[in-house]
Amino acid sequence: MQPASARPPLITAAGIVLIIAGALSVVSALILLSLAGGLGILYVLIGLAVGAASIWAGWMVLQLREQGRSLGLILAIVGAVFALIALIQGSTVSIINLALDAFLIYALSTTRQYFTV
């Protein structure tokens, strides 16, 4: 039996995916900032907030904190919904986002026993 403080590879992978996705979101929002005007600024602010939340959730998942797992699940579920909408609208690239979100949902929902409050 594994000690409670040991972090399974599935959780490590989920934390890393959250951090990378958050970093990419922040970078894309900053790139958009140079192009945005008007309502684009709102999209930039949302992108920065989601990216920061994803990075924080990933860091907390790596530390086996329940709030990181919960936030990671919320971000993955919302991301999966948006990826499905984009797929329906014809964006085939969104299949990658959907796959990553599905992985996060699976990884974070099946490993609950490793997280602490």
Side-chain angles (χ1 to χ4, degrees), residues 18 53 57-58 61 67-77 104-105 108:
L18 281 166
V61 164
Q67 65 265 27
R69 187 188 80 83
S70 299
L71 181 58
L73 272 171
I74 291 168
L75 291 169
I77 291 168
L104 287 171
I105 292 167
L108 295 175

Side-chain angles (χ1 to χ4, degrees), residues 103-116:
F103 165 74
L104 287 171
I105 292 167
Y106 170 77
L108 295 175
S109 63
T110 61
T111 57
R112 182 180 192 153
Q113 70 272 18
Y114 292 97
F115 291 88
T116 60

Side-chain angles (χ1 to χ4, degrees), residues 80-92 94-95 98:
V81 169
F82 281 115
L84 280 172
I85 292 170
L87 274 173
I88 291 169
Q89 293 178 345
S91 174
T92 56
S94 293
I95 193 87
L98 185 59

Side-chain angles (χ1 to χ4, degrees), residues 11-45:
I11 293 175
T12 302
I16 291 170
V17 167
L18 281 166
I19 290 170
I20 291 172
L24 289 174
S25 179
V26 168
V27 168
S28 66
L30 291 175
I31 290 171
L32 184 62
L33 180 62
S34 65
L35 307 171
L39 285 177
I41 298 297
L42 179 62
Y43 182 76
V44 168
L45 293 175

